């Protein structure tokens, strides 16, 4: 279906789950043609743009959630077909992503072809997903730094001490972001799914560096970056997404701490 040009997204997150898919409350009921799901989901990035959405639900009678996908093509969001738009996305950043909150009520869902294996499927792809999330943010930081460089070119010889120091910190952080991302690619190519811990370190490091670098950029470029006519404030808000993307900060730090003591 992807080959036919269809876009896929995920709407796994649920309010009150603390970003942990094993806290999923949505229920999947089996029927003659598959399953239907009922529950509340939010942060469905790509809603209205994607044809299919991956989600999680606990199959009735089972204890762990499993993976499902939803065919969202031509589905109205008024509740008449089992999908209701609860809250339209109003993010400070990633504003074009339509990461809406949705209520599902007996909405048809297709279960993963290898049921009951969410943990091994997750372990198989989480490093790759971390690279994909990180790549987007690396691109934003690159664009932000290059745009600032072009705008500062004419006046760089008269930059004041604070601006000079901040610019060099931006340069260092931009360089570290590139090294971290290259390191992620090298490690996943060498170790495959055994690289998941390294991917988490890399994603989290880039999230922290990107927030820092784009915040400094706003200060160097001046107060105008607070206005919506300037792209720098948007870039700052956009990169803030990375730390919240799965696994979000708290879950990421839990996993990194566990990974730091692998023999426990
Ligand atoms: C810009 C953006 C885009 C996103 N896109 C997607 C997407 O496309 N698809 C998708 O599925 N998700 C998406 N997400 C959601 C993301 O993956 C997280 O699920 C979301 O950010 C909520 O996790 P959180 O821990 O940060 O916050 P919250 O769920 O608000 O929790 C806040 C904190 O409260 C505590 N907490 C709350 N509930 C519990 C609990 N039950 N148990 C233990 N502790 C708890 C934890 O300390 C937690 O970190 C997106 C998020 C953002 C910001």
């Amino acid at each position: 279906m992807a080959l036919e040009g269809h876009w896929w997204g995920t709407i796994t997150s649920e309010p009150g789950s603390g970003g942990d898919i094993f806290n999923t409350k949505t229920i999947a009921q089996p029927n003659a043609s598959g399953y239907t799901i009922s529950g509340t989901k939010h942060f469905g990035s790509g809603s209205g743009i994607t044809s299919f959405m991956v989600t999680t639900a606990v199959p009735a009678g089972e204890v762990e959630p499993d993976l499902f996908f939803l065919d969202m093509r031509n589905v109205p969001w008024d509740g008449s077909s089992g999908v209701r738009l609860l809250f339209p996305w109003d993010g400070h950043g990633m504003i074009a992503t339509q990461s809406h909150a949705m209520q599902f009520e007996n909405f048809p869902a297709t279960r993963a072809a290898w049921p009951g294996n969410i943990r091994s499927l997750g372990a198989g792809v989480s490093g790759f997903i971390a690279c994909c999330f990180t790549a987007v943010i690396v691109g934003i930081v690159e664009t932000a730094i290059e745009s600032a460089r072009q705008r500062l070119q004419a006046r760089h010889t008269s930059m004041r001490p604070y601006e000079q120091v901040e610019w060099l910190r931006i340069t260092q952080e931009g360089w570290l972001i590139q090294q971290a991302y290259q390191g992620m690619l090298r490690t996943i190519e060498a170790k495959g799914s055994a690289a998941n811990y390294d991917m988490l370190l890399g994603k989290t490091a880039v999230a922290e560096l990107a927030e820092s670098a784009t915040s400094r950029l706003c200060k160097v470029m001046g107060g105008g970056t607070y206005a919506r006519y300037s792209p720098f404030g948007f870039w700052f808000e956009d990169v803030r997404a990375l730390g919240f993307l799965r696994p979000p900060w708290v879950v990421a730090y839990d996993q990194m701490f566990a990974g730091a003591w692998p023999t426990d």
Side-chain angles (χ1 to χ4, degrees):
M1 286 182 276
L3 279 177
E4 289 164 16
H6 292 295
W7 290 79
W8 287 69
T10 57
I11 186 159
T12 51
S13 299
E14 294 188 9
S17 67
D20 184 348
I21 58 172
F22 293 100
N23 288 331
T24 293
K25 297 283 181 293
T26 294
I27 294 288
Q29 286 289 349
N31 62 22
S33 53
Y35 285 85
T36 60
I37 63 154
S38 300
T40 306
K41 298 280 180 180
H42 62 173
F43 293 112
S45 301
S47 293
I49 305 158
T50 52
S51 301
F52 301 96
M53 281 296 210
V54 175
T55 194
T56 49
V58 182
E62 299 183 27
V63 286
E64 281 218 323
D66 206 356
L67 287 169
F68 292 80
F69 75 85
L70 312 172
D71 186 344
M72 301 298 290
R73 288 174 293 181
N74 304 315
V75 175
W77 295 347
D78 59 2
S80 59
S81 301
V83 180
R84 181 181 300 282
L85 174 63
L86 272 186
F87 302 108
W89 178 237
D90 65 348
H92 287 291
M94 285 182 54
I95 58 175
T97 57
Q98 303 194 164
S99 306
H100 303 321
M102 301 283 194
Q103 179 77 46
F104 294 96
E105 200 62 54
N106 298 319
F107 186 70
T110 304
R111 192 166 179 177
W114 193 29
N117 285 287
I118 190 170
R119 289 182 190 271
S120 39
L121 287 168
V125 297
S126 71
F128 168 70
I129 291 172
C131 279
C132 294
F133 287 159
T134 304
V136 176
I137 302 308
V138 170
I140 293 171
V141 176
E142 272 173 8
T143 303
I145 295 178
E146 188 46 36
S147 302
R149 182 189 301 282
Q150 285 171 14
R151 289 173 200 218
L152 292 170
Q153 185 67 42
R155 71 169 180 94
H156 78 275
T157 50
S158 58
M159 280 167 79
R160 311 259 288 281
Y162 174 75
E163 294 172 317
Q164 292 179 15
V165 170
E166 286 300 282
W167 180 254
L168 291 176
R169 287 181 173 160
I170 292 161
T171 306
Q172 287 170 343
E173 287 170 345
W175 186 83
L176 285 172
I177 286 169
Q178 292 295 335
Q179 304 314 306
Y181 183 56
Q182 292 302 324
M184 289 174 77
L185 295 182
R186 257 197 327 275
T187 311
I188 200 165
E189 281 169 8
K191 291 168 57 178
S193 60
N196 288 349
Y197 172 65
D198 306 70
M199 296 304 104
L200 197 50
L201 290 180
K203 169 195 176 275
T204 309
V206 172
E208 290 177 357
L209 289 163
E211 282 192 24
S212 175
T214 51
S215 167
R216 292 183 201 282
L217 273 174
C218 288
K219 291 168 192 149
V220 171
M221 301 308 290
T225 58
Y226 205 76
R228 285 168 186 248
Y229 60 72
S230 162
F232 289 94
F234 287 98
W235 286 326
F236 168 64
E237 290 293 352
D238 287 339
V239 304
R240 283 207 311 124
L242 182 59
F244 293 117
L245 297 180
R246 201 165 298 287
W249 291 109
V250 174
V251 181
Y253 270 84
D254 285 349
Q255 292 178 4
M256 283 191 291
F257 193 75
W261 310 101
T263 51
D264 281 1

PDB file of all heavy atoms in Angstrom, residues 138-148 232 235:
ATOM      1  N   VAL A 138      17.557  17.134  12.760  1.00  0.00           N
ATOM      2  CA  VAL A 138      18.891  17.509  12.270  1.00  0.00           C
ATOM      3  C   VAL A 138      18.730  18.450  11.070  1.00  0.00           C
ATOM      4  O   VAL A 138      19.430  19.469  10.961  1.00  0.00           O
ATOM      5  CB  VAL A 138      19.719  16.250  11.897  1.00  0.00           C
ATOM      6  CG1 VAL A 138      21.005  16.623  11.165  1.00  0.00           C
ATOM      7  CG2 VAL A 138      20.040  15.436  13.150  1.00  0.00           C
ATOM      8  N   GLY A 139      17.786  18.122  10.192  1.00  0.00           N
ATOM      9  CA  GLY A 139      17.553  18.964   9.013  1.00  0.00           C
ATOM     10  C   GLY A 139      17.088  20.367   9.389  1.00  0.00           C
ATOM     11  O   GLY A 139      17.502  21.358   8.777  1.00  0.00           O
ATOM     12  N   ILE A 140      16.238  20.446  10.406  1.00  0.00           N
ATOM     13  CA  ILE A 140      15.747  21.770  10.832  1.00  0.00           C
ATOM     14  C   ILE A 140      16.902  22.594  11.403  1.00  0.00           C
ATOM     15  O   ILE A 140      17.055  23.783  11.086  1.00  0.00           O
ATOM     16  CB  ILE A 140      14.611  21.630  11.870  1.00  0.00           C
ATOM     17  CG1 ILE A 140      13.373  21.003  11.211  1.00  0.00           C
ATOM     18  CG2 ILE A 140      14.255  22.990  12.483  1.00  0.00           C
ATOM     19  CD1 ILE A 140      12.276  20.619  12.190  1.00  0.00           C
ATOM     20  N   VAL A 141      17.746  21.958  12.233  1.00  0.00           N
ATOM     21  CA  VAL A 141      18.864  22.712  12.835  1.00  0.00           C
ATOM     22  C   VAL A 141      19.836  23.171  11.749  1.00  0.00           C
ATOM     23  O   VAL A 141      20.299  24.320  11.760  1.00  0.00           O
ATOM     24  CB  VAL A 141      19.593  21.866  13.910  1.00  0.00           C
ATOM     25  CG1 VAL A 141      20.801  22.624  14.455  1.00  0.00           C
ATOM     26  CG2 VAL A 141      18.646  21.512  15.044  1.00  0.00           C
ATOM     27  N   GLU A 142      20.118  22.292  10.794  1.00  0.00           N
ATOM     28  CA  GLU A 142      21.005  22.665   9.676  1.00  0.00           C
ATOM     29  C   GLU A 142      20.462  23.895   8.955  1.00  0.00           C
ATOM     30  O   GLU A 142      21.184  24.860   8.680  1.00  0.00           O
ATOM     31  CB  GLU A 142      21.051  21.530   8.632  1.00  0.00           C
ATOM     32  CG  GLU A 142      22.084  20.476   8.878  1.00  0.00           C
ATOM     33  CD  GLU A 142      21.915  19.315   7.879  1.00  0.00           C
ATOM     34  OE1 GLU A 142      21.099  19.417   6.933  1.00  0.00           O
ATOM     35  OE2 GLU A 142      22.589  18.322   8.082  1.00  0.00           O
ATOM     36  N   THR A 143      19.161  23.855   8.647  1.00  0.00           N
ATOM     37  CA  THR A 143      18.526  24.957   7.918  1.00  0.00           C
ATOM     38  C   THR A 143      18.581  26.240   8.749  1.00  0.00           C
ATOM     39  O   THR A 143      18.872  27.327   8.218  1.00  0.00           O
ATOM     40  CB  THR A 143      17.058  24.605   7.605  1.00  0.00           C
ATOM     41  OG1 THR A 143      17.051  23.387   6.870  1.00  0.00           O
ATOM     42  CG2 THR A 143      16.369  25.697   6.807  1.00  0.00           C
ATOM     43  N   ALA A 144      18.313  26.104  10.056  1.00  0.00           N
ATOM     44  CA  ALA A 144      18.301  27.287  10.931  1.00  0.00           C
ATOM     45  C   ALA A 144      19.698  27.911  11.006  1.00  0.00           C
ATOM     46  O   ALA A 144      19.852  29.139  10.897  1.00  0.00           O
ATOM     47  CB  ALA A 144      17.799  26.893  12.315  1.00  0.00           C
ATOM     48  N   ILE A 145      20.717  27.075  11.198  1.00  0.00           N
ATOM     49  CA  ILE A 145      22.075  27.624  11.333  1.00  0.00           C
ATOM     50  C   ILE A 145      22.527  28.251  10.003  1.00  0.00           C
ATOM     51  O   ILE A 145      23.099  29.341   9.978  1.00  0.00           O
ATOM     52  CB  ILE A 145      23.077  26.537  11.808  1.00  0.00           C
ATOM     53  CG1 ILE A 145      22.716  26.082  13.228  1.00  0.00           C
ATOM     54  CG2 ILE A 145      24.518  27.062  11.751  1.00  0.00           C
ATOM     55  CD1 ILE A 145      23.601  24.979  13.799  1.00  0.00           C
ATOM     56  N   GLU A 146      22.242  27.574   8.903  1.00  0.00           N
ATOM     57  CA  GLU A 146      22.660  28.108   7.601  1.00  0.00           C
ATOM     58  C   GLU A 146      21.935  29.428   7.297  1.00  0.00           C
ATOM     59  O   GLU A 146      22.555  30.384   6.798  1.00  0.00           O
ATOM     60  CB  GLU A 146      22.403  27.056   6.507  1.00  0.00           C
ATOM     61  CG  GLU A 146      22.973  27.406   5.144  1.00  0.00           C
ATOM     62  CD  GLU A 146      24.420  27.921   5.174  1.00  0.00           C
ATOM     63  OE1 GLU A 146      25.224  27.444   5.997  1.00  0.00           O
ATOM     64  OE2 GLU A 146      24.733  28.848   4.380  1.00  0.00           O
ATOM     65  N   SER A 147      20.639  29.499   7.629  1.00  0.00           N
ATOM     66  CA  SER A 147      19.889  30.750   7.396  1.00  0.00           C
ATOM     67  C   SER A 147      20.477  31.881   8.232  1.00  0.00           C
ATOM     68  O   SER A 147      20.623  33.022   7.755  1.00  0.00           O
ATOM     69  CB  SER A 147      18.424  30.589   7.765  1.00  0.00           C
ATOM     70  OG  SER A 147      17.858  29.573   7.034  1.00  0.00           O
ATOM     71  N   ALA A 148      20.819  31.573   9.485  1.00  0.00           N
ATOM     72  CA  ALA A 148      21.396  32.607  10.354  1.00  0.00           C
ATOM     73  C   ALA A 148      22.755  33.051   9.815  1.00  0.00           C
ATOM     74  O   ALA A 148      23.064  34.253   9.793  1.00  0.00           O
ATOM     75  CB  ALA A 148      21.546  32.059  11.771  1.00  0.00           C
ATOM     76  N   PHE A 232      12.745  31.754  12.929  1.00  0.00           N
ATOM     77  CA  PHE A 232      13.604  31.183  13.980  1.00  0.00           C
ATOM     78  C   PHE A 232      12.807  30.676  15.190  1.00  0.00           C
ATOM     79  O   PHE A 232      13.145  29.653  15.778  1.00  0.00           O
ATOM     80  CB  PHE A 232      14.690  32.186  14.398  1.00  0.00           C
ATOM     81  CG  PHE A 232      15.725  32.359  13.328  1.00  0.00           C
ATOM     82  CD1 PHE A 232      15.616  33.390  12.405  1.00  0.00           C
ATOM     83  CD2 PHE A 232      16.788  31.481  13.217  1.00  0.00           C
ATOM     84  CE1 PHE A 232      16.546  33.533  11.391  1.00  0.00           C
ATOM     85  CE2 PHE A 232      17.726  31.616  12.207  1.00  0.00           C
ATOM     86  CZ  PHE A 232      17.605  32.658  11.283  1.00  0.00           C
ATOM     87  N   TRP A 235      11.339  27.368  14.246  1.00  0.00           N
ATOM     88  CA  TRP A 235      12.335  26.284  14.262  1.00  0.00           C
ATOM     89  C   TRP A 235      12.623  25.850  15.697  1.00  0.00           C
ATOM     90  O   TRP A 235      12.770  24.661  15.983  1.00  0.00           O
ATOM     91  CB  TRP A 235      13.614  26.732  13.540  1.00  0.00           C
ATOM     92  CG  TRP A 235      13.451  26.782  12.047  1.00  0.00           C
ATOM     93  CD1 TRP A 235      12.675  25.945  11.286  1.00  0.00           C
ATOM     94  CD2 TRP A 235      14.054  27.701  11.135  1.00  0.00           C
ATOM     95  NE1 TRP A 235      12.772  26.287   9.961  1.00  0.00           N
ATOM     96  CE2 TRP A 235      13.618  27.359   9.834  1.00  0.00           C
ATOM     97  CE3 TRP A 235      14.943  28.770  11.269  1.00  0.00           C
ATOM     98  CZ2 TRP A 235      14.026  28.032   8.696  1.00  0.00           C
ATOM     99  CZ3 TRP A 235      15.364  29.443  10.129  1.00  0.00           C
ATOM    100  CH2 TRP A 235      14.905  29.091   8.857  1.00  0.00           C
TER     101      TRP A 235
END
